[in-house]
Amino acid sequence: MQRNTFLIGAVGGVTTVVALGGLGTYLLSGTESTTRLDEYSMASVDGHKALSADIVAGRTQSKYHPLPWVGDKLSDVSCPTGLKAVTGAGLTCTGKKSDGTTVEIPVRVTKADAKSVTWTFER
C-alpha cells in the first residue's frame, strides 16, 4: 500500500513540475510587446507616429531567445524603419544566427492608440 501511495505522489510531483515548466516557458516565450509612445521611443514614418526602429529591434532580439530551448539566439537585429503606430502595420526586421545565416523577422502591430503600440513578431 505504501508503494502505491509513493508512486502516486511521485507521478503527481513530476506532473506538477512539468506543468509549471510548460507554463513558465509559455509565459516567457511570448512574442507580443506593448510599448509606450514617448519622446524616447517615438519616431515618425510617412507622417505617422511610429515606434523607433531601435526599440523594435532591441525588444525583438531580447524576446526571440528567452530560454535555451525556445527560439534561436540572434545578434545584430535591425529594422529598416520605425513601426507605424497603426493597427495592421508591419515591417520585416533581420537578425543573424550564431552560424552567420540571416533570419527575417516579420513584425506586426496588433493594437495602437495615441499613447502606446502593441505589436508582435514571428519566431
Side-chain angles (χ1 to χ4, degrees):
M1 190 63 148
Q2 282 184 322
R3 183 176 271 169
N4 286 342
T5 302
F6 174 77
L7 185 59
I8 291 170
V11 169
V14 168
T15 302
T16 300
V17 168
V18 169
L20 289 174
L23 177 62
T25 297
Y26 174 76
L27 293 174
L28 290 172
S29 67
T31 60
E32 185 173 271
S33 184
T34 299
T35 309
R36 287 186 21 196
L37 288 171
D38 58 23
E39 65 271 14
Y40 304 108
S41 64
M42 198 168 65
S44 179
V45 174
D46 298 332
H48 292 278
K49 284 184 178 181
L51 191 57
S52 93
D54 292 340
I55 297 290
V56 176
R59 183 76 52 88
T60 300
Q61 182 169 324
S62 71
K63 291 177 74 76
Y64 202 89
H65 181 66
L67 298 168
W69 55 90
V70 177
D72 294 312
K73 187 165 181 84
L74 295 183
S75 62
D76 301 327
V77 173
S78 64
C79 302
T81 65
L83 182 61
K84 286 184 190 178
V86 176
T87 302
L91 56 86
T92 301
C93 300
T94 58
K96 289 186 181 176
K97 289 185 180 181
S98 56
D99 65 2
T101 58
T102 302
V103 177
E104 292 187 345
I105 309 162
V107 179
R108 180 178 47 85
V109 175
T110 58
K111 180 181 171 188
D113 60 34
K115 296 182 180 183
S116 67
V117 178
T118 300
W119 53 281
T120 188
F121 65 89
E122 293 180 26
R123 189 178 281 119

